[in-house]
Amino acid sequence: MLTFVGLGLYDLGDISVKGLDYVRNADAVYLEAYTSRLMGADVSEMEAFFGKEIRVLAREDVEQDPHEIIERAASGQVAFLTGGDPMISTTHADLRIRAAAAGVATSIIHASSISSAVSGLSGLQNYRFGKSCSVPFPARGWFPTTPIETIAKNLELSLHTLVYLDIQKDRYMRIPEAITILEEMAEKCGIEPPTLYVGIARAGSENPVVRAGTGAKLKETDFGPPLHVLVVPADLHPMEREYLEVFADL
């Protein structure tokens, strides 16, 4: 059995009772650490909390060579840990499909996700979100503009956009940097840059930071340590505007 276990948003207190019970009784525990991370707990703390040795997986371990995971799940109980909710990332869906093709039973233990937490923290109504996008760190000779194009299409439809920020092995994109990159993308594409953003830092922690305003305002805002996420709102409903005024300093 291969069970995908969501860890929630920030620390070890976010896992469900069901998930905790499964991990503590699993024969093997893997942690996917490239799509999201718990910033409130490191691997050693997780191992002490669960009472289990944890193997940390890189992207290639899951997407290119998941044979070990599937083989162990064919003969025992395997917990595959992910930050947030397990099935938000397509790479996890692909692993579940591969396991099913190999005749391995699978299950999912859900947890809180940033895709739902942003609505609670920002007050932006969840049914008004369009397609999400991710802003990657630019590389030499590579500067994709898909994120700003996605935002522009959503704005045309009066839909909000959830913008995920890049996570790499040794660095995390911050909100000011993401806004600068989006503005550069907009200039390159001849698109008007967004006039309003909502920045959220450390969702799920005791003291998340939520701020709304222009790009210039948020680039001067100290959001503190990662993880950060960004939202580009469409035209605001009066209740959304009031919520942002009360809770996000709009």
Side-chain angles (χ1 to χ4, degrees), residues 90-110:
T90 54
T91 186
H92 305 151
D94 177 71
L95 177 59
R96 193 180 187 204
I97 291 170
R98 293 193 192 203
V104 174
T106 64
S107 64
I108 305 168
I109 300 176
H110 294 283

Side-chain angles (χ1 to χ4, degrees), residues 43-76:
V43 175
S44 62
E45 290 171 328
M46 291 184 193
E47 290 180 325
F49 183 72
F50 294 129
K52 294 287 182 179
E53 180 180 355
I54 297 175
R55 180 183 167 188
V56 180
L57 302 171
R59 182 180 293 273
E60 56 269 19
D61 297 321
V62 180
E63 296 184 354
Q64 299 175 22
D65 189 26
H67 303 297
E68 177 188 324
I69 303 168
I70 295 172
E71 287 175 3
R72 297 198 69 173
S75 59

Side-chain angles (χ1 to χ4, degrees), residues 1 87 100 112 158 210:
M1 170 73 79
M87 287 301 147
S112 54
S158 194
V210 185

Side-chain angles (χ1 to χ4, degrees), residues 208-238:
V209 175
V210 185
R211 296 289 183 271
T214 64
K217 174 184 174 181
L218 295 200
K219 284 192 286 186
E220 296 299 320
T221 300
D222 181 8
F223 284 93
L227 295 175
H228 292 187
V229 71
L230 192 62
V231 182
V232 178
D235 292 336
L236 297 173
H237 181 277

Side-chain angles (χ1 to χ4, degrees), residues 4-234:
F4 296 81
V5 182
L7 294 173
L9 291 169
Y10 186 73
D11 58 26
L12 292 169
D14 289 338
I15 192 171
S16 68
V17 174
K18 184 187 295 184
L20 178 60
D21 182 66
Y22 187 89
V23 176
R24 286 181 171 170
N25 288 284
D27 298 308
V29 181
Y30 296 89
L31 171 66
E32 182 273 282
Y34 59 88
T35 59
S36 185
R37 295 177 191 173
L38 289 192
M39 301 308 292
D42 59 27
V43 175
S44 62
E45 290 171 328
M46 291 184 193
E47 290 180 325
F49 183 72
F50 294 129
K52 294 287 182 179
E53 180 180 355
I54 297 175
R55 180 183 167 188
V56 180
L57 302 171
R59 182 180 293 273
E60 56 269 19
D61 297 321
V62 180
E63 296 184 354
Q64 299 175 22
D65 189 26
H67 303 297
E68 177 188 324
I69 303 168
I70 295 172
E71 287 175 3
R72 297 198 69 173
S75 59
Q77 302 285 352
V78 171
F80 184 90
L81 309 181
T82 72
D85 184 87
M87 287 301 147
I88 296 300
S89 173
T90 54
T91 186
H92 305 151
D94 177 71
L95 177 59
R96 193 180 187 204
I97 291 170
R98 293 193 192 203
V104 174
T106 64
S107 64
I108 305 168
I109 300 176
H110 294 283
S112 54
S113 166
I114 191 62
S115 64
S116 57
V118 290
S119 292
L121 289 169
S122 68
L124 298 174
Q125 296 160 357
N126 67 331
Y127 61 84
R128 293 195 60 209
F129 277 80
K131 181 180 178 181
S132 61
C133 61
S134 300
V135 176
F137 285 109
R140 181 178 297 177
W142 184 70
F143 190 74
T145 57
T146 301
I148 197 66
E149 293 166 359
T150 297
I151 291 168
K153 289 178 182 178
N154 283 342
L155 290 175
E156 289 177 3
L157 297 171
S158 194
L159 296 174
H160 308 316
T161 308
L162 173 58
V163 184
Y164 298 101
L165 308 188
D166 200 0
I167 297 174
Q168 296 189 358
K169 184 177 180 179
D170 56 353
R171 60 177 177 166
Y172 305 87
M173 186 176 291
R174 314 282 180 119
I175 288 163
E177 183 174 13
I179 292 173
T180 297
I181 292 172
L182 288 172
E183 290 174 342
E184 292 173 358
M185 289 180 183
E187 183 177 1
K188 183 176 181 180
C189 294
I191 295 173
E192 285 295 318
T195 58
L196 179 64
Y197 296 90
V198 179
I200 299 173
R202 296 174 305 287
S205 69
E206 292 185 2
N207 297 294
V209 175
V210 185
R211 296 289 183 271
T214 64
K217 174 184 174 181
L218 295 200
K219 284 192 286 186
E220 296 299 320
T221 300
D222 181 8
F223 284 93
L227 295 175
H228 292 187
V229 71
L230 192 62
V231 182
V232 178

